[in-house]
Amino acid sequence: MMSKLSNIWVFSDIASRLPEMIAAGVALGEKVSTFVIGTEAEINAAFSYGATHVYYLGDKDSQKIIEDYSHTIAQTISATTENTLMLLAPTKRGKALASKLGVQLQAGVVNDVTEIDIENGVRAKHMAYGGLAIAEEKINSPVAIITLSSGVYEAQATDTTRTGEAVNVAFIEPTTAIQCVERRAKQGESVNLGKAKRVVGVGSGIGSKENLQVAAELSALIGAELGCSRPIAETEKWMERERYIGVSGVMLKPEIYFALGISGQIQHMVGALGSQTIFAVNKDKNAPIFQYVDYGIVGDINKVMPALISALKA
Amino acid sequence: MKIITCYKLVPEEQDITVTADGNLDTNKAAPKINPFDLCAVEAGVQLKSLIEGCSITAMSVGGKALENPKARKDILSRGPDDLTVVIDEKFEQLLPHQTARVLMAAAQKTGFDLIICGDGSGDLYAQQVGLQLGELLGVANINAVSKISSAEPGKLTVERSLDDEVEVLEITLPAVISVSADINEPSIPSMKTILAAAKKPVTSLTATDIELAEFPALVELVSVIAPEQKARQKIVIEGDDEQQIAQFAEHLRKALN
């Protein structure tokens, strides 16, 4: 049985991320104290996800940005004496808050954490070098601050009969001035390869821009999003940057990844290794891609792609 | 207005290899300016073109790599007026809370109205330095800046592209902002700017010069290793005749269902 910390603090600036943050709190702590900015319904929601205590920072205020609450949160946490851990959503606001709290509380911070170990102090793992490696860091300070990647802890079933203790927290004015003058919805969602269930990746071996059309047809046929290797996006500029897979690009987690004319350099593969099943077509049987596949075929892309298309249509 | 743009040298990720025991070998990976920091420099250069009487100091803290003349010329060819580097052996592998403390001491020494950092660096991608630096300096600070809309003495208006919305913020200077990679497309230095870079002043400081206080080890790096690989089927069909392609198609069809 893993030991638990006596209290974990939780905050998410985005409502949809709160259940899994609280689930992490429940897994790692006896008490789960959640900061809430919003309505009474949101306090109740936090309890229903498993929070034992809610520290209520008041209703949403259009004049304030989330980061304005750093002093209020720091003050509340520093009032407790035990060693503790604060978990934040891995959003831009979560990270800004994490760093500010890190300085205010003299606390160690680790972002985008994919694994937490609290056996001997707090240890956290996160991706480094664009995915080539996993860094493990040990937080030595009494307060440890972590922004937790999504999907690390499963949200628990919501139970609306659960209640807990709610405490009103008075707002502490920030010491420096950032004024929010406007908020607006983000313009149209662009492609999100990271969430696609099937992805076809195109590499330099595709040969020509015309062949991209064939790859797109194959991709559409299997219900996949089209992605590419870095040279296709950066050297050839045949596809947008948000479609390139690998180091400093997109990290995939699809059920199927299908690599077309991709040699399989580790810098590309780190973006694809999270795939459940990997398929590849490449004419060079010594290409590194074949070290990473579940199913591969050594062959000419000009021949294999059309033949596959007709086979799949049959 | 005195602008500082911070940058870090990181190994060229395309040349990093993974050894059999899972360690990263960066020996063949030449140090380059962290790509996110190129956006920070570019943001500084664009800002300078908007306001009169603006100067840009590029700043970095680290180990011996910062002595490299090519790397110095590279950063200066991007547009800063001068360069300040703080070099010490013990800055070789700084963690973000330590980098922020060294930069704080250096920035206090040189003075500033605005410090621009990248949102993160290509090595540890900790995404903390700019924010912690601003907080340590006790000035306004924010990350994820995707646009600088306007600047006037003492005030900056920026946009921040977040997960769910865009915030338009007025920031009172002095301040530290961290910019995201989508803020601009860094321009490629021309031969003229490369030649001019060689003549720009460089100040090299030591930990003593900036009166650096002992800094804490709030976090320590335990290990950096390549992730374990999932076991794969590795069924590879050699050859692309009709039958072989049909066989491959059959595997694909099964996986699709």
Side-chain angles (χ1 to χ4, degrees), chain A residues 156-176:
Chain A
Q156 296 184 324
T158 304
D159 178 355
T160 51
T161 64
R162 273 198 288 246
T163 54
E165 197 187 325
V167 182
N168 286 314
V169 182
F171 182 70
I172 300 170
E173 286 291 336
T175 45
T176 54

Side-chain angles (χ1 to χ4, degrees), chain A residues 109-189:
Chain A
V109 180
V110 186
N111 279 323
D112 296 319
V113 167
T114 53
E115 205 180 314
I116 301 176
D117 176 1
I118 55 166
E119 279 308 311
N120 298 295
V122 176
R123 284 168 184 255
K125 289 185 182 175
H126 67 101
M127 205 182 271
Y129 293 91
L132 285 174
I134 303 291
E136 181 173 356
E137 295 183 27
K138 181 172 178 286
I139 302 179
N140 295 324
S141 51
V143 181
I145 299 173
I146 280 173
T147 64
L148 183 62
S149 278
S150 49
V152 181
Y153 289 85
E154 290 259 345
Q156 296 184 324
T158 304
D159 178 355
T160 51
T161 64
R162 273 198 288 246
T163 54
E165 197 187 325
V167 182
N168 286 314
V169 182
F171 182 70
I172 300 170
E173 286 291 336
T175 45
T176 54
I178 296 181
Q179 198 78 36
C180 185
V181 290
E182 192 193 329
R183 273 174 215 285
R184 57 170 190 262
K186 260 181 114 164
Q187 293 294 314
E189 265 305 85

Side-chain angles (χ1 to χ4, degrees), chain A residues 279-293:
Chain A
F279 286 81
V281 185
N282 198 295
K283 65 170 188 263
D284 175 9
K285 74 168 185 178
N286 296 316
I289 185 79
F290 291 119
Q291 300 301 311
Y292 303 104
V293 299

Side-chain angles (χ1 to χ4, degrees), chain A residues 82-115:
Chain A
E82 72 244 331
N83 284 5
T84 190
L85 168 64
M86 167 133 210
L87 299 172
L88 295 138
T91 57
K92 296 286 189 184
R93 293 192 189 101
K95 285 170 192 165
L97 214 42
S99 278
K100 285 166 184 272
L101 291 173
V103 171
Q104 290 169 25
L105 292 165
Q106 286 265 354
V109 180
V110 186
N111 279 323
D112 296 319
V113 167
T114 53
E115 205 180 314

